[in-house]
Amino acid sequence: MRLRAFTALCAAVALVPVAVAQAAADAPARERLSRGDITVFYRVADARPAARILEVAASRGGSVAHSAGLAELGQVTIYVASTGDEFRVLTYGGVPDWGAGCAFPDRGVIVLRNPVTAPDPLHMEDVVVHEIAHIAAGRVLSGVHVPRWFHEGIAMTLAGEWRLPRSSVLAGAGAAGGLIPLDELAVAFPAGAADAMLAYSESFYAVRFLMEEAGPATPAEVLFAIAEAGSFEKGVEALSGRTLQVFERDALASFKGRFGWGVFLSRWNVMFVVLALLMLAGGAVRLARSRRLLREWESEERGRSHAAHRPARRSDSGWN
């Protein structure tokens, strides 16, 4: 979705009545921009972000569609919600607060927050491409029901999105025994942003694991195999030689081997960060020690100075 303050990516396939989103096109003061098969509806005040959204969708949509095995993307309608309240209305409250986009693949409809109101405006272009990927994948699957983790994982794969911080999320969860079983991500993702980040991370690598076990296979080959099988369970069995239950178990086990702390720390860029942090920690310890010694020296110097200025007492020895 991509989530630093989390780039929140949400595909609500069956959670929200599509009629709510479609009715937005008839609302007063809503403008329209089109390029090819892509149409964007927006409020007058949102003309600039709407134009940018259209540009991203038009320029990236074709390559995403080709990655999914489609000759062309086809018609897509995008609604830009001016405010958080409007976004909730258009999605009927089906998206978490950290969510920035929502796709309805069966109708080719996408609802997006105005980037100004999104949790992470700098990554709204990623959200646009991610939601288009949901549309493309849904058109190849042609009504075949797939679990939520596959919806998100294949969209992330088609959109070409991945970041090192998500690897660290898997590493930490794997080491702590906190990975989420994939069957618990079949219908919905956790509402909390941190748990959702883990769910997206697992989804991406579960799809990668399926692609590797199938040959390796391309995203298009995976999608078409599932579509031709007529069900996700049969498609997974044809691709991996495993039942869905066994595949989900093996995929989770593969995360532990791929993202154990030893594997994670062997990456040069991670080691660089770790070493830099250790150096900073060492420097902080040395600085604290130096300051403590300086305070001790100052205290001793004050003591000697006080003794030097103290009046001498008369001696009782008779030498005075």
Side-chain angles (χ1 to χ4, degrees), residues 48-133:
R48 289 187 64 183
R52 180 57 183 159
I53 287 170
L54 178 61
E55 180 183 349
V56 172
S59 62
R60 300 283 301 278
S63 62
V64 171
H66 292 158
S67 295
L70 296 172
E72 57 184 21
L73 180 61
Q75 292 187 347
V76 175
T77 302
I78 302 174
Y79 300 103
V80 181
S82 294
T83 64
D85 288 340
E86 186 176 29
F87 183 72
R88 283 187 287 274
V89 169
L90 293 177
T91 59
Y92 207 65
V95 181
D97 290 340
W98 46 261
C102 184
F104 306 94
D106 57 337
R107 295 293 188 91
V109 170
I110 295 171
V111 179
L112 299 172
R113 290 183 189 269
N114 180 331
V116 175
T117 67
D120 195 348
L122 294 178
H123 297 287
M124 276 302 292
E125 291 185 13
D126 296 337
V127 178
V128 174
V129 178
H130 182 96
E131 303 306 340
I132 287 175

Side-chain angles (χ1 to χ4, degrees), residues 4-292:
R4 261 188 206 113
F6 299 112
T7 303
L9 309 176
C10 171
V13 179
L15 297 177
V16 184
V18 178
V20 175
Q22 290 182 316
D26 302 323
R30 191 172 286 277
E31 303 294 321
R32 168 180 178 160
L33 283 174
S34 295
R35 185 183 301 180
D37 290 329
I38 299 176
T39 301
V40 178
F41 288 99
Y42 62 97
R43 303 292 184 189
V44 174
D46 302 327
R48 289 187 64 183
R52 180 57 183 159
I53 287 170
L54 178 61
E55 180 183 349
V56 172
S59 62
R60 300 283 301 278
S63 62
V64 171
H66 292 158
S67 295
L70 296 172
E72 57 184 21
L73 180 61
Q75 292 187 347
V76 175
T77 302
I78 302 174
Y79 300 103
V80 181
S82 294
T83 64
D85 288 340
E86 186 176 29
F87 183 72
R88 283 187 287 274
V89 169
L90 293 177
T91 59
Y92 207 65
V95 181
D97 290 340
W98 46 261
C102 184
F104 306 94
D106 57 337
R107 295 293 188 91
V109 170
I110 295 171
V111 179
L112 299 172
R113 290 183 189 269
N114 180 331
V116 175
T117 67
D120 195 348
L122 294 178
H123 297 287
M124 276 302 292
E125 291 185 13
D126 296 337
V127 178
V128 174
V129 178
H130 182 96
E131 303 306 340
I132 287 175
H134 277 302
I135 300 294
R139 285 176 173 165
V140 175
L141 292 170
S142 189
V144 175
H145 176 73
V146 299
R148 177 70 182 275
W149 66 258
F150 181 81
H151 263 300
E152 297 302 337
I154 198 65
M156 294 170 74
T157 302
L158 292 173
E161 54 180 289
W162 189 246
R163 288 177 176 79
L164 182 63
R166 291 180 179 172
S167 301
S168 65
V169 168
L170 277 179
L179 292 172
I180 306 171
L182 290 177
D183 60 359
E184 294 183 12
L185 302 175
V187 176
F189 276 12
D195 288 338
M197 165 67 108
L198 176 59
Y200 279 107
S201 301
E202 290 188 19
S203 299
F204 176 85
Y205 267 100
V207 170
R208 299 293 297 182
F209 181 69
L210 180 58
M211 291 167 59
E212 291 166 2
E213 294 297 298
T218 65
E221 289 169 340
V222 169
L223 285 167
F224 276 96
I226 294 171
E228 290 172 5
S231 75
F232 185 69
E233 292 80 0
K234 292 179 180 178
V236 167
E237 191 164 354
L239 288 164
S240 69
R242 301 172 173 87
T243 64
L244 177 58
Q245 183 178 10
V246 172
F247 171 82
E248 290 181 333
R249 182 198 65 198
D250 290 350
L252 208 67
S254 76
F255 301 158
K256 298 176 182 178
R258 189 187 299 243
F259 295 105
W261 283 114
V263 175
F264 180 65
L265 291 175
S266 68
R267 301 183 179 184
W268 70 267
N269 46 0
V270 178
M271 283 299 297
F272 177 81
V273 173
V274 171
L275 289 174
L277 290 174
L278 289 175
M279 291 176 64
L280 288 173
V285 170
R286 287 193 297 271
L287 180 61
R289 184 179 302 152
S290 298
R291 288 177 173 174
R292 186 176 65 252

